[in-house]
């Protein structure tokens, strides 16, 4: 097995609505999707963002695109108009997600 950061095999986008942060994870090559799907679940993402996200994390799978979508509630300090966060929209969460490491089959 080879340990690698998600950023080497995937890209990510983030969005927001109120106090909900939405972060997608899309693999570059569909061959990596099964391992990403197996190792990057809602629990792991909730733990990874535990300092920032106070509500539940839901995961949605889109295997045809090699994508996972995470909906994180209680994630933006009440939402853009009410938060004291310097990064109110949560756009940097896409980069943070890509720092997670997973194991891939190696040579």
């Amino acid at each position: 097995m080879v340990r690698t950061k998600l950023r080497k095999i995937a890209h990510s986008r983030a969005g927001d609505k109120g106090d909900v942060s939405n972060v997608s994870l899309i693999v570059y090559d569909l061959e990596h999707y099964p391992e990403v799907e197996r190792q990057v679940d809602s629990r792991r993402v909730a733990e990874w963002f535990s300092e920032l996200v106070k509500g539940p994390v839901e995961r949605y799978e889109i295997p045809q695109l090699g994508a996972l979508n995470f909906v994180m509630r209680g994630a933006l300090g009440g939402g853009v108009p009410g938060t004291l966060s310097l990064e109110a929209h949560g756009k940097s969460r896409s980069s943070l997600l890509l720092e997670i490491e997973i194991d891939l089959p190696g040579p």
Side-chain angles (χ1 to χ4, degrees), residues 1 3 12-13 22 25-26 28 32-33 41 43 45 47 52 61 65 68 78 80 82 88-91 96-97:
M1 294 301 239
R3 193 98 172 134
S12 180
R13 298 282 295 169
N22 182 6
L25 179 64
I26 306 108
Y28 296 125
H32 293 125
Y33 182 75
D41 59 12
R43 179 197 51 77
V45 171
E47 287 174 7
L52 301 170
E61 301 89 15
L65 299 177
L68 300 174
V80 174
H89 292 278
K91 299 295 185 189
L96 289 172
L97 182 67

Side-chain angles (χ1 to χ4, degrees), residues 21-87:
S21 183
N22 182 6
V23 183
S24 63
L25 179 64
I26 306 108
V27 296
Y28 296 125
D29 188 329
L30 284 176
E31 79 176 60
H32 293 125
Y33 182 75
E35 284 301 322
V36 170
E37 182 182 35
R38 186 175 70 77
Q39 295 181 55
V40 186
D41 59 12
S42 295
R43 179 197 51 77
R44 186 163 185 197
V45 171
E47 287 174 7
W48 188 255
F49 286 104
S50 64
E51 299 280 324
L52 301 170
V53 176
K54 303 308 175 199
V57 175
E58 302 159 34
R59 183 182 86 167
Y60 298 91
E61 301 89 15
I62 311 163
Q64 304 89 328
L65 299 177
L68 300 174
N69 186 47
F70 296 93
V71 177
M72 301 182 281
R73 301 187 187 283
L76 297 169
V80 174
T83 186
L84 297 176
S85 171
L86 294 175
E87 212 266 299

